[in-house]
Amino acid sequence: VGGVGGGGIFVPMLTLLLGFDTKSAAALSKCMIMGASASSVWYNLRVPHPCREVPILDYDLALLFQPMLMFGITLGVSLSVVFPYWLITVLIIILFMGTSSRSFFKAIEMWKEETIFKKSMEEVPVNSRGELIVIDTMYEPLVPREEKTPLEIFRFNLNLKRIMVLFLVWFIFLILQVFKN
């Protein structure tokens, strides 16, 4: 429900427990999420992809989302200046109610599927002679993966060209914001 960064938890916590107003809590929440995101990226740069020979970070997806995300943030900040506190609070409540209910119904759906799966697994698999069939879940890959050192994994996951393009997008938005004001 709280999303990747936990903004759905931070904003109410800052508002209700620490007494921040809604606008300040939302802004501070973004700073908290940025720190968590930066540490997550740093951690993932040092981890190999679990099942394929690709970088674990999807730079194409980041380059697709980043401009839209920054435009949404710019629009949201502009609207937060115009909207009164009570309207922002009502909109945040509506957003969290929608995401919470969607997550709740998705959880019920997953629970039903897992219950059906669990019941099917309770039946003991036997062959035609009545002998217990043991299913070995350990699989050896057809093509063995070569082990990489942590430095090789870091270099493989780090795509400097794509990172520079991301920084360029951020810099262009910074310049646009400076000229806008």
Side-chain angles (χ1 to χ4, degrees), residues 78-98:
S78 300
L79 292 177
S80 74
V81 173
V82 176
F83 291 165
Y85 287 121
W86 66 268
L87 183 59
I88 293 172
T89 304
V90 168
L91 291 174
I92 288 175
I93 290 171
I94 291 170
L95 173 72
F96 289 154
M97 285 176 56

Side-chain angles (χ1 to χ4, degrees), residues 26 34 57 66 89 117 122 130 132 142 144-145 147 149 160 168:
M34 185 188 161
L57 300 176
Q66 197 63 48
T89 304
F117 180 73
E122 287 176 356
L132 181 64
L142 296 175
R145 291 173 90 178
E147 293 294 321
T149 65
L160 289 176
L168 181 66

Side-chain angles (χ1 to χ4, degrees), residues 159-178:
N159 188 334
L160 289 176
K161 289 180 185 176
R162 301 289 171 97
I163 291 174
M164 294 309 289
V165 172
L166 277 172
F167 276 114
L168 181 66
V169 168
W170 295 338
F171 184 72
I172 289 170
F173 265 83
L174 174 68
I175 297 300
L176 288 173
Q177 293 301 316
V178 168

